Amino acid sequence: MFMRFQHFIRALILAIFAAFIIKLHYTGEIMSYINPRYTLMSKIAIAIFLFLFLIQLVRIWENRNHTHNHCSSGCHHDHDHSGSFSKRFIVHLIILFPLVTGFAFAPATLDASIAAKKGLMLPQVNEGTASMGEHLNRMGEATDEKSAESIEPPANKDDSIIQHTAPLANTNYLSKEQFDKEMEKLTTSDIIQMNDNIYASYYSRITEDPASYIGKKIKVSGFFYKEDGFEENQFVLARFLMTHCVADTSVIGMLVEFNEANDYQEDTWLEIEGEINVTNYNGHVMPFIKVDKLKVIDEPSEPYVYPAMIKIV
Amino acid sequence: MFSRQLQSYLFDVTGLVVMIIVFYFISASQSIGKIFSINMPSSFLQLNTIFLSILIEAIPFILISVLIAGFIQIFITEDHIKRWIPKNRFAAIFVSCVVGAIFPACECGIVPIVRRLISKGVPTYAGVGFLLTGPLINPIVIFSTYVALGSKMAGLRMGIGFIAALAIAFIISLLFKSNQLQHNGAGFSNTAVNTGKQHQSLFSKLEDMLKHAIDEFFDMGKYLIIGAFVAALVQTYVTTTSLFILGDSVAGSSIIMMALAYVLSLCSEADAFIGASFKNLVPSTSILAFLVYGPMIDLKNTIMLWGAFKTKFVLTLFILITLIVFLLINLITLL
């Protein structure tokens, strides 16, 4: 009986993985990485890691002969056992790397620099040069024609609503009635409150048919984001929409026209009250907010918005 | 008797030692963080967040699939495989694509499973069929595509994906006769295990399955980590719209959307929403290219495939998938 160092290191790594995910849940940092709807999956991962850790712990002191009784020569230890020491060392370093950075650095909230990389996906937003703008618009028009002739637009108007049959524990779920009630408020209430749980659904409704919301009051928050090619007085009050995890976020947000727009820095969180109006950018009707009231706010504890989900009972 | 006591004692001590090292590891990492976080550019912190989020999202699926791979290793024999896979090549390809379509998997999780299946004697082309349809066609993906883009897009995505998978698997069957796994040596012959297995109890088989799962996790984990890091690097430093300098034809924008699908390495269950956000920018056929291509091959899973298969094979597969998907998408526009 002797100790097998390789197995010892692996047991250690499995334990650290479990500790890392436990830490994310314990501190709530998990919310900065993935959609809260999917936290159950990572809790399952903790259980699997701990279980595998125990199995691995047994292997550390396993007698070599004992192993080979179990798992005769055919049970190829084809994995990394055959590699040289330095190769195995590098492999373990690679696997430890995310754990070191995970414990070392707190998760960052995506900011305007990432938004600029991802780009705001609106046909009106051009790349700063006129030719690029026209180019994008031509593509936009091509889309329209294309979609008219070959691809029908989704029959369901509520684009951003995932309907899940299996309800998981999460705060973002709405029942069908709650959701309908929220959507009704879009037309009935005096002032449209773009709350986080309904933000994405309201946003897609308003951008689909901006004309019918002209003159409506709206209250919305987001971070200050400006793309090349915007006018002096324009900016977008942006949010990141997260489907699964930070890697699949896209940037959405309302265009704002405000004369003192230059007084604000990118990434500043603002709460704006104003009136919806539409402008015409190269044939595209696009909503924007005329500001009545503007106030700087702290970055919210949950900076991301998620597609609303309806619970079907 | 003494040995047994000693063993349980050792077991406890080792567990304790591991716990202590974990504790030291955490506090060491955190102090590294304290020292460096002041000097770290914020783009690195953003990169790190994206990198870790990809891992946190993928790890539960990887763990489940290494357990499945372990299960295949221990419980499924080459005889089983021989009985299940049709002798006829076309039938085998068709069956593998259908099985992939039924089997819900993600594109990184499927790699260890396919590797294990091929090592058990599944023909390479059948493995490829399964590899391609597994992440692309499954209920969750169909549903999210339907919600984001409507029923016609969802139908086209599945239909074209299935046809493409059949075509690619068929061409692979012409090009590669032998098993293309990296460690193709004697180690992969499982005859010894099969004979030895008769004596094993279910419990010790389960234990072996878990041990294999652990080894598989470490084997595939390193490629997942490298892949996730490269994908995060691209997301942090490459401007998406810079890809759009290439032509404005349908073909041009399809190439761009396929390149985007490749570098973003999105999970097939989440990519429909990202695809939908390009609705105003590119023709819907190009979005279709994005949706069909991404789940079949992307940056993250190329690195994982490269860890499992021979370089030449991975390269051929990559070129084939790209060509076939591109051709099919362009055929669609003619209809």
Side-chain angles (χ1 to χ4, degrees):
Chain A
M1 183 180 290
F2 57 96
M3 182 176 165
R4 300 208 282 170
F5 190 65
Q6 156 101 336
H7 284 317
F8 177 75
I9 295 291
R10 292 191 163 187
L12 192 63
I13 291 174
L14 289 171
I16 297 172
F17 263 110
F20 178 55
I21 305 177
I22 290 170
K23 177 230 176 195
L24 291 180
H25 282 276
Y26 183 73
T27 58
E29 279 177 9
I30 191 87
M31 309 283 265
S32 312
Y33 291 108
I34 61 171
N35 187 330
R37 197 171 294 145
Y38 299 102
T39 49
L40 180 68
M41 282 309 291
S42 72
K43 282 182 186 154
I44 293 171
I46 298 174
I48 299 178
F49 271 127
L50 287 177
F51 184 61
L52 293 181
F53 164 66
L54 289 178
I55 297 291
Q56 183 65 19
L57 209 52
V58 179
R59 280 174 106 182
I60 297 173
W61 293 101
E62 220 163 42
N63 198 317
R64 241 178 227 279
N65 291 327
H66 176 69
T67 328
H68 279 254
N69 283 342
H70 258 293
C71 209
S72 47
S73 59
C75 180
H76 44 82
H77 288 267
D78 56 301
H79 304 286
D80 288 310
H81 302 253
S82 51
S84 66
F85 177 79
S86 60
K87 198 182 157 202
R88 275 181 287 164
F89 183 71
I90 291 170
V91 165
H92 290 144
L93 274 189
I94 291 172
I95 292 179
L96 278 171
F97 175 70
L99 295 168
V100 173
T101 64
F103 278 113
F105 305 109
T109 304
L110 296 189
D111 61 17
S113 70
I114 297 290
K117 295 287 183 292
K118 286 178 181 281
L120 200 61
M121 288 307 158
L122 297 168
Q124 303 79 8
V125 177
N126 61 47
E127 282 302 292
T129 59
S131 63
M132 191 65 193
E134 279 166 27
H135 167 79
L136 289 181
N137 273 311
R138 270 208 309 285
M139 295 214 289
E141 280 155 30
T143 322
D144 295 341
E145 284 162 26
K146 195 82 219 159
S147 60
E149 64 181 52
S150 70
I151 310 274
E152 61 191 21
N156 183 355
K157 258 200 138 191
D158 313 329
D159 271 25
S160 49
I161 301 137
I162 296 186
Q163 302 178 321
H164 260 230
T165 39
L168 304 170
N170 114 61
T171 51
N172 271 74
Y173 273 104
L174 297 168
S175 72
K176 184 89 180 85
E177 296 85 67
Q178 275 174 316
F179 180 79
D180 289 342
K181 217 168 93 190
E182 289 293 329
M183 291 313 280
E184 212 183 283
K185 278 192 201 156
L186 191 56
T187 41
T188 55
S189 62
D190 298 333
I191 177 158
I192 299 169
Q193 301 269 4
M194 298 277 277
N195 293 330
D196 287 0
N197 61 349
I198 201 77
Y199 186 101
S201 309
Y202 278 9
Y203 174 77
S204 67
R205 276 281 169 89
I206 295 171
T207 46
E208 260 168 35
D209 182 22
S212 47
Y213 298 94
I214 295 175
K216 272 287 219 183
K217 294 279 178 208
I218 185 168
K219 188 173 172 185
V220 57
S221 58
F223 64 90
F224 184 98
Y225 171 61
K226 218 168 156 76
E227 266 191 8
D228 294 341
F230 276 17
E231 300 285 332
E232 280 275 288
N233 63 341
Q234 290 176 331
F235 66 92
V236 165
L237 200 60
R239 297 298 292 262
F240 280 101
L241 175 70
M242 188 197 288
T243 310
H244 271 190
C245 70
V246 169
D248 63 36
T249 48
S250 52
V251 195
I252 58 175
M254 299 290 281
L255 185 70
V256 178
E257 288 195 2
F258 185 57
N259 287 334
E260 287 101 72
N262 279 341
D263 297 350
Y264 296 91
Q265 293 279 318
E266 291 226 305
D267 289 325
T268 311
W269 280 80
L270 301 169
E271 188 182 84
I272 287 179
E273 274 187 64
E275 199 180 290
I276 300 179
N277 217 319
V278 293
T279 73
N280 217 318
Y281 278 94
N282 306 320
H284 287 277
V285 182
M286 183 176 184
F288 76 96
I289 303 176
K290 271 203 314 208
V291 177
D292 293 333
K293 239 194 275 175
L294 179 148
K295 133 176 135 192
V296 176
I297 55 170
D298 288 335
E299 182 188 308
S301 56
E302 285 182 41
Y304 303 108
V305 290
Y306 311 96
M309 282 205 176
I310 297 181
K311 223 185 320 196
I312 300 169
V313 188
Chain B
M1 192 64 202
F2 173 74
S3 150
R4 193 158 282 277
Q5 271 177 352
L6 183 71
Q7 201 165 0
S8 79
Y9 174 70
L10 271 176
F11 186 78
D12 292 348
V13 171
T14 325
L16 199 67
V17 169
V18 169
M19 291 304 170
I20 292 167
I21 298 179
V22 168
F23 178 77
Y24 272 106
F25 177 86
I26 294 170
S27 44
S29 302
Q30 281 172 341
S31 47
I32 290 172
K34 279 201 191 92
I35 297 162
F36 286 100
S37 57
I38 312 146
N39 305 320
M40 276 295 165
S42 89
S43 67
F44 174 79
L45 297 177
Q46 305 261 325
L47 167 81
N48 188 41
T49 307
I50 296 173
F51 166 53
L52 290 174
S53 86
I54 297 174
L55 285 185
I56 293 164
E57 192 202 13
I59 274 177
F61 296 99
I62 285 287
L63 286 174
I64 291 166
S65 61
V66 298
L67 287 174
I68 295 174
F71 178 85
I72 294 170
Q73 174 65 26
I74 301 300
F75 289 94
I76 301 202
T77 64
E78 286 170 11
D79 293 340
H80 289 145
I81 301 276
K82 279 203 188 92
R83 255 179 285 147
W84 292 337
I85 298 274
K87 293 277 172 296
N88 181 297
R89 188 162 38 143
F90 301 101
I93 290 172
F94 187 77
V95 166
S96 72
C97 288
V98 171
V99 171
I102 298 164
F103 189 81
C106 66
E107 65 265 37
C108 37
I110 198 132
V111 180
I113 298 176
V114 168
R115 179 169 85 151
R116 195 50 62 196
L117 282 173
I118 292 179
S119 82
K120 281 284 180 180
V122 170
T124 305
Y125 49 84
V128 168
F130 181 71
L131 176 82
L132 297 179
T133 53
L136 178 62
I137 308 175
N138 70 52
I140 307 162
V141 177
I142 295 173
F143 197 80
S144 68
T145 314
Y146 165 72
V147 170
L149 290 153
S151 56
K152 192 161 182 179
M153 277 297 252
L156 280 172
R157 181 181 193 184
M158 303 309 141
I160 291 177
F162 195 79
I163 295 166
L166 287 176
I168 295 159
F170 176 68
I171 299 172
I172 287 288
S173 78
L174 298 177
L175 295 176
F176 296 97
K177 302 290 176 205
S178 64
N179 136 0
Q180 293 295 312
L181 294 172
Q182 255 194 18
H183 314 278
N184 202 10
F188 264 108
S189 127
N190 290 295
T191 41
V193 168
N194 295 344
T195 49
K197 233 158 50 175
Q198 317 298 331
H199 319 290
Q200 280 183 249
S201 65
L202 179 69
F203 180 77
S204 70
K205 272 189 186 180
L206 277 174
E207 197 184 328
D208 280 348
M209 169 189 144
L210 292 169
K211 285 175 189 166
H212 274 285
I214 294 169
D215 290 343
E216 195 88 48
F217 174 76
F218 280 89
D219 214 15
M220 285 279 98
K222 58 178 185 282
Y223 298 107
L224 173 72
I225 288 166
I226 296 169
F229 190 78
V230 177
L233 206 65
V234 170
Q235 283 209 11
T236 319
Y237 294 107
V238 178
T239 309
T240 311
T241 37
S242 72
L243 293 168
F244 286 90
I245 35 176
L246 274 162
D248 56 354
S249 62
V250 174
S253 55
S254 294
I255 293 174
I256 295 157
M257 290 305 285
M258 281 163 72
L260 200 63
Y262 187 81
V263 296
L264 289 181
S265 301
L266 299 170
C267 188
S268 55
E269 281 132 41
D271 63 358
F273 289 96
I274 304 292
S277 72
F278 286 92
K279 259 191 299 199
N280 299 319
L281 215 54
V282 298
S284 33
T285 39
S286 304
I287 295 179
L288 202 57
F290 176 85
L291 295 177
V292 174
Y293 189 65
M296 288 191 169
I297 195 148
D298 61 33
L299 191 58
K300 187 172 54 162
N301 110 321
T302 308
I303 293 174
M304 293 184 77
L305 283 172
W306 181 61
F309 294 94
K310 288 177 183 159
T311 310
K312 192 181 149 213
F313 176 76
V314 177
L315 205 65
T316 315
L317 187 63
F318 168 73
I319 293 168
L320 265 181
I321 294 173
T322 312
L323 284 178
I324 300 278
V325 172
F326 182 72
L327 283 176
L328 281 175
I329 292 296
N330 279 290
L331 277 178
I332 282 291
T333 57
L334 300 176
L335 295 178

